[in-house]
Structures are given as C-alpha cells and as structure tokens.
Amino acid sequence: MIVRDFEQISKNQPDRVVSDAQWTSVRMLLADDGMGFSFHITFLEAGSEHVFEYKNHFESVYCMQGKGSITDLATGEVHHIKPGVMYALDKHDRHRLKADEELVMACCFNPPVTGNEVHREDGSYAAPEEVEA
C-alpha cells in the first residue's frame, strides 16, 4: 500500500515538485512506484495559456478548482473547464489549456512519468525511455 500526504510531499520532497512556464505539478505517484500510471496535482496560474501535445502519453485530467477552457487544436472545439469536469486525451490530442482562474487539476499519465519531465518545445514530454533518471 502506498499512502502519501500532499502537504508533506510539497514541503519535504522537492524532487517530486516540478515547475515550468506558469504551472507547478506535485507528483504523488511516479513510474518507480510501479502502478502503471502516474498521478499529479497540477496548478496552472490564472491568466496562463499552455499548448500541449502528449505524443508519448495518454492523460486524464479532473478539475478540482478554478475555471478555464480547453481547445482541441485539430477541430477548434472549445470545452469549458470548471470543478467536476474531466477530460481525457485519448488520441494524444494537441490542445490549448487556458486558465481564467487558477486551475487545480488532478492528472493521471500512462505510461507514468518519472518525475524529471518538463514540456519540450512541441508541448510533449519525452518518451519514458528518453528521460534521464
């Protein structure tokens, strides 16, 4: 059984807290936990916009706090994000995530991330075998 406390990870395990351009992700489960997915709590700053395309991962995201939108960049379709809304990137969808307010999101990645990833120029994470431990 794995039991982790968000506050303890945030304060005492800086190797599990990753920040990049206007977002911070607290990685609660990583590849080395052996669960087959990783689980993160991610904060996106109010007013920020991000273009992501997880070419090497599937992602599911549940909004816990805040308001924003996600745009499917292939179709132009826009979906509103608010607490209780989930989206899943089942086709490695290239998308724009806009945070009108600070967004607090629970995210799962498959395959799991290792903890060292930050977004590359194209908005993706490297494939697991490309990430240095």
Side-chain angles (χ1 to χ4, degrees):
M1 180 182 299
I2 299 170
V3 177
R4 298 215 167 100
D5 181 294
F6 174 84
E7 293 298 326
Q8 292 299 317
I9 291 173
S10 297
K11 292 176 184 174
N12 301 322
Q13 293 183 277
D15 58 316
R16 285 185 172 263
V17 180
V18 177
S19 294
D20 200 8
Q22 297 183 294
W23 62 264
T24 299
S25 181
V26 178
R27 276 104 190 251
M28 308 278 300
L29 287 173
L30 292 169
D32 64 3
D33 290 312
M35 295 290 297
F37 63 91
S38 57
F39 178 75
H40 321 171
I41 302 298
T42 301
F43 300 81
L44 296 103
E45 292 179 19
S48 65
E49 288 191 35
H50 311 268
V51 174
F52 300 133
E53 182 180 11
Y54 297 113
K55 299 174 182 179
N56 303 302
H57 299 83
F58 293 105
E59 183 190 28
S60 174
V61 178
Y62 178 80
C63 179
M64 299 185 320
Q65 178 183 313
K67 292 183 182 175
S69 62
I70 184 170
T71 303
D72 181 331
L73 294 177
T75 66
E77 190 172 8
V78 177
H79 302 275
H80 295 284
I81 303 296
K82 63 181 183 176
V85 171
M86 184 277 305
Y87 63 86
L89 304 169
D90 61 334
K91 296 176 183 69
H92 306 286
D93 313 85
R94 185 167 175 78
H95 61 286
R96 176 178 296 111
L97 187 58
K98 182 179 176 188
D100 297 327
E101 302 172 0
E102 180 186 50
L103 289 171
V104 181
M105 314 288 259
C107 311
C108 291
F109 279 85
N110 181 12
V113 301
T114 65
N116 298 322
E117 294 85 353
V118 293
H119 294 97
R120 301 185 297 187
E121 280 189 35
D122 66 358
S124 70
Y125 286 149
E129 59 273 6
E130 297 174 27
V131 177
E132 293 181 26

